Amino acid sequence: MFDAFAFALANIYVSSIFDSALPPPMSYMQDTADWLFGDEKQRERAFFNQYPHPALAPLSIVTGPSMRFILAPTKAIINNDWEPFLNYQLWTMAPFGRLARSMYRTAEVPEMWLEEMTGIPLHRMAQLRKKELKRREEEQELLDES
């Protein structure tokens, strides 16, 4: 019953925590839908694609966590795309690597410290707010003209 409830919430609240926290059988259904019917970005993210080609993404279901030490550099070599590996995956291979990455990024851009250390997307929320205010102003201008 709890799984059915979580699945229902994920379908109702698409952008909430339930979108990324479904238990495995249901997350496989969502990933399969994204992989088959999604745009290029959704296909890349489906199954947390760790393989060199998106067609191999469903293999992530049966791939063990220890394979990340082999698959991440292999994917970087095959696709000749070292940026994701160096900017994220390499950091996660060390103990407390994600914390070290957050501290390093905070030192680079100090005004992002709250976002880096807590994960609260303050800057993104401010961008969305500005965008909404601009949209409202444009709508008001259209109403004033007519």
Side-chain angles (χ1 to χ4, degrees):
M1 289 301 290
F2 287 123
D3 285 345
F5 181 69
F7 191 63
L9 287 175
N11 285 316
I12 293 171
Y13 304 111
V14 177
S15 298
S16 72
I17 189 172
F18 296 103
D19 186 42
S20 59
L22 285 174
M26 288 170 280
S27 66
Y28 300 157
M29 289 183 259
Q30 181 64 49
D31 286 339
T32 303
D34 290 343
W35 183 61
L36 292 174
F37 305 113
D39 59 9
E40 189 64 33
K41 188 175 183 180
Q42 288 175 329
R43 285 187 190 128
E44 180 65 31
R45 291 182 175 181
F47 298 104
F48 300 105
N49 191 6
Q50 55 193 353
Y51 284 91
H53 194 275
L56 301 173
L59 290 176
S60 297
I61 295 171
V62 294
T63 304
S66 62
M67 288 297 289
R68 71 184 173 133
F69 295 111
I70 298 167
L71 288 173
T74 305
K75 180 179 180 178
I77 291 169
I78 291 172
N79 293 336
N80 198 20
D81 185 15
W82 290 92
E83 186 126 1
F85 177 73
L86 295 174
N87 288 342
Y88 182 73
Q89 293 164 338
L90 188 62
W91 287 95
T92 63
M93 292 181 181
F96 301 103
R98 290 184 190 172
L99 177 62
R101 177 180 178 258
S102 292
M103 290 174 24
Y104 174 76
R105 289 176 55 157
T106 299
E108 282 186 325
V109 186
E111 62 268 13
M112 298 285 286
W113 75 271
L114 186 64
E115 195 163 329
E116 286 292 333
M117 292 299 165
T118 64
I120 300 170
L122 294 175
H123 289 86
R124 181 71 179 139
M125 288 189 291
Q127 288 173 351
L128 292 173
R129 184 174 180 273
K130 286 180 186 177
K131 193 176 188 180
E132 180 63 23
L133 290 174
K134 184 178 178 182
R135 187 189 65 78
R136 287 183 184 178
E137 287 176 7
E138 290 172 355
E139 283 180 1
Q140 188 62 36
E141 287 176 8
L142 289 174
L143 289 173
D144 291 343
E145 288 176 3
S146 56

